[in-house]
Amino acid sequence: MNIILGVTGCIGAYKAAEVLRQLQEQGATVRVVMTPSARQFIAPLTFEALSGQPVLTDLFQPGLNTRIKHIEIARWADLLLVAPATAHIIAKFAHGLADDPLTTVYISATCPTVIAPAMNVEMWRHAATQENIATLRARGVEIIEPESGFLACGEVGPGRLAEPARIVARVMAVLRRPSSERRDLVGQHVLITAGPTCEDIDPVRFITNRSSGKMGYALAEAALARGADVTLISGPTHLRPPREARFISVWSTEEMYEAVMRHVNEATIIVKAAAVADFRPRERPSSKIKKSPEPLHIELEPTPDILAEVGRRKGHRLVVGFAAETDHPIEHGRQKLAQKNLDVIVVNDVTAEGAGFDVDTNRGTLIDRRGDIVELPLMSKREMADRIFDHLVEAFLRPERTESDEE
Ligand code: PMT
């Protein structure tokens, strides 16, 4: 497996050394190509020593011109990864400029390209950068979205280079992907909630439910396999989150609410498979409630309805809810679809065998806002996840199927 690692001039350039090392752990041979400004942040010698390969830093590097170097490297590679990718290199890629070693490699490469942007939050949000990113996505370039946090410039927001493990996991997923696989969610950012939420009674006791997270994690895997960026917000489960997803672990409904609201603007599709606690103790004492022979009365108050708030803020986003029902599933599902302003609801009759909580299979009914009803017979949760995304693509995302067609 031959990978070109492109490094550009940004403070996150030092993380490229760790990316290189982790790629080697996966069995890759890595050759590094640096832009002139990358050399201001990290020395080529670091990459030469780690990779055991010459580093391309100059279009006309003495000793490397016996063959046309950028063409030779581009043909050699199974994948081109650029990490970190600055706003400048993204703009150059988008517009086909070719005036340094990395842009000439990009424009002559026929292998898949993955880029991991890193920059100041306003540079990332700028319309020019977002248009350039959209151009690259439309061309099939995989974008590993930057993470939110404190940036080197002192500001807070999205812009930080994704963690090396996430970058490497995504690269491996691209390399493993069969060419026949559906890539119909490229360019979409899917926010998924999974698992239960827990509401503390006191420091040692809590109320929760039987959700295992299996449905939500299956949705995350399906969305990733179809090319989406995925943010997975999960209550406590025993499952391992997919490495390519941005993963946020939460405990209570309040924490899930805050995490969803922090990330909702980035999302184009929101799928709420979590089994969110509807009530929580009104009082949460800071010390353990003592055992007593008397009955204990705990007053419960409603939790915030995360999905209803997402429905209020949805704009053009697609919002999918789940409903766990024990009676009149279709009727209750329709009511929730309308009340929470959803595009689709998947109703599970959790009394049916093989459906709902803590099993590997599920069955249910998908209802969409146009009134279409799709029966989902007993199948694995992963298959059901794909059936749900198939419906979203067919009904709402295919360019030939627009809102005006529906009227
Ligand atoms: O995790 P598994 O073991 O695989 O099980 C999967 C599942 C049964 C949990 C899943 O398929 C499912 O049905 N999830 C929704 C369960 C649920 O909470 O249903 P509900 O009818 O109470 O809520 C309807 C919707 O509103 C859900 O999308 C829920 O995430 C959302 N909600 C509910 C309450 C609340 N306070 N905030 C919310 O966002």
Side-chain angles (χ1 to χ4, degrees):
M1 173 166 52
N2 297 334
I3 297 178
I4 302 169
L5 173 58
V7 184
T8 68
C10 130
I11 194 73
Y14 73 96
K15 285 194 191 168
E18 180 59 20
V19 171
L20 189 160
R21 217 188 46 71
Q22 290 192 23
L23 287 170
Q24 287 173 322
E25 279 171 12
Q26 298 292 325
T29 305
V30 184
R31 291 167 79 171
V32 175
V33 178
M34 298 177 77
T35 61
S37 52
R39 284 183 282 152
Q40 304 292 324
F41 289 88
I42 186 164
L45 185 59
T46 305
F47 294 117
E48 199 168 299
L50 287 173
S51 69
Q53 304 280 340
V55 173
L56 190 61
T57 56
D58 195 321
L59 262 183
F60 312 106
Q61 214 162 314
L64 288 181
N65 297 308
T66 46
R67 295 172 64 194
I68 300 173
K69 204 63 198 167
H70 62 269
I71 304 287
E72 188 245 307
I73 291 189
R75 295 287 161 273
W76 165 87
D78 297 311
L79 183 139
L80 165 63
L81 166 68
V82 184
T86 56
H88 188 60
I89 204 80
I90 290 167
K92 284 166 98 177
F93 281 7
H95 294 277
L97 301 184
D99 62 350
D100 66 44
L102 188 53
T103 47
T104 48
V105 166
Y106 167 70
I107 208 163
S108 46
T110 52
C111 59
T113 300
V114 178
I115 69 170
M119 64 197 74
N120 162 273
V121 54
E122 298 307 341
M123 292 171 79
W124 171 247
R125 286 183 179 147
H126 197 282
T129 305
Q130 289 304 314
E131 277 168 28
N132 291 331
I133 288 281
T135 302
L136 293 180
R137 274 201 169 114
R139 242 179 242 164
V141 173
E142 297 264 342
I143 312 290
I144 306 176
E145 296 226 351
E147 293 177 0
S148 282
F150 283 101
L151 305 177
C153 53
E155 293 181 26
V156 180
R160 198 167 62 190
L161 182 67
E163 283 307 311
R166 196 173 139 224
I167 295 174
V168 171
R170 182 76 165 264
V171 164
M172 291 301 132
V174 172
L175 287 168
R176 277 196 302 268
R177 183 180 299 149
S179 54
S180 59
E181 212 166 72
R182 284 159 293 188
R183 304 288 299 152
D184 47 12
L185 292 181
V186 170
Q188 303 293 336
H189 188 141
V190 185
L191 189 162
I192 296 165
T193 66
T197 59
C198 305
E199 302 301 338
D200 291 341
I201 296 172
D202 69 12
V204 296
R205 305 181 181 96
F206 58 89
I207 305 171
T208 189
N209 61 63
R210 294 170 46 220
S211 170
S212 61
K214 287 178 180 173
M215 190 66 239
Y217 283 54
L219 284 155
E221 278 162 19
L224 285 164
R226 298 167 84 131
D229 278 308
V230 172
T231 298
L232 176 61
I233 300 175
S234 174
T237 75
H238 295 292
L239 305 175
R240 190 192 292 262
R243 289 183 70 191
E244 307 104 290
R246 182 192 295 169
F247 180 68
I248 299 165
S249 165
V250 296
W251 176 256
S252 62
T253 304
E254 190 66 40
E255 283 179 25
M256 185 172 276
Y257 179 91
E258 280 165 19
V260 169
M261 295 311 148
R262 250 196 329 273
H263 292 281
V264 72
N265 286 344
E266 303 152 14
T268 54
I269 302 174
I270 297 133
V271 188
K272 284 221 78 249
V276 181
D278 289 315
F279 298 97
R280 64 185 171 202
R282 192 181 286 281
E283 307 288 336
R284 271 151 283 168
S286 54
S287 44
K288 186 180 164 193
I289 299 171
K290 292 276 174 279
K291 190 176 163 190
S292 142
E294 297 304 315
L296 175 67
H297 296 279
I298 300 174
E299 194 183 353
L300 300 178
E301 64 177 6
T303 54
D305 191 319
I306 308 169
L307 188 55
E309 185 56 31
V310 168
R312 275 191 284 276
R313 301 185 185 190
K314 74 192 276 268
H316 294 298
R317 295 172 187 85
L318 286 178
V319 181
V320 181
F322 272 72
E325 299 293 344
T326 51
D327 55 289
H328 304 101
I330 305 293
E331 194 184 317
H332 290 155
R334 279 211 179 100
Q335 279 166 8
K336 285 181 185 171
L337 181 87
Q339 279 161 4
K340 302 194 184 197
N341 192 23
L342 309 179
D343 298 290
V344 168
I345 192 154
V346 180
V347 190
N348 302 136
D349 178 352
V350 288
T351 57
E353 193 163 338
F357 293 100
D358 202 15
V359 283
D360 293 327
T361 50
N362 208 355
R363 63 200 300 172
T365 309
L366 180 156
I367 308 172
D368 78 16
R369 66 169 142 90
R370 304 165 320 164
D372 284 1
I373 295 192
V374 182
E375 281 308 323
L376 301 167
L378 189 65
M379 63 183 90
S380 70
K381 284 184 172 166
R382 176 55 206 272
E383 275 178 275
M384 184 177 276
D386 267 316
R387 294 284 297 273
I388 294 165
F389 286 123
D390 287 347
H391 188 84
L392 290 185
V393 170
E394 284 302 321
F396 301 108
L397 298 175
R398 282 224 194 289
E400 62 268 24
R401 189 81 188 263
T402 62
E403 293 287 315
S404 52
D405 295 336
E406 292 168 20
E407 285 159 7

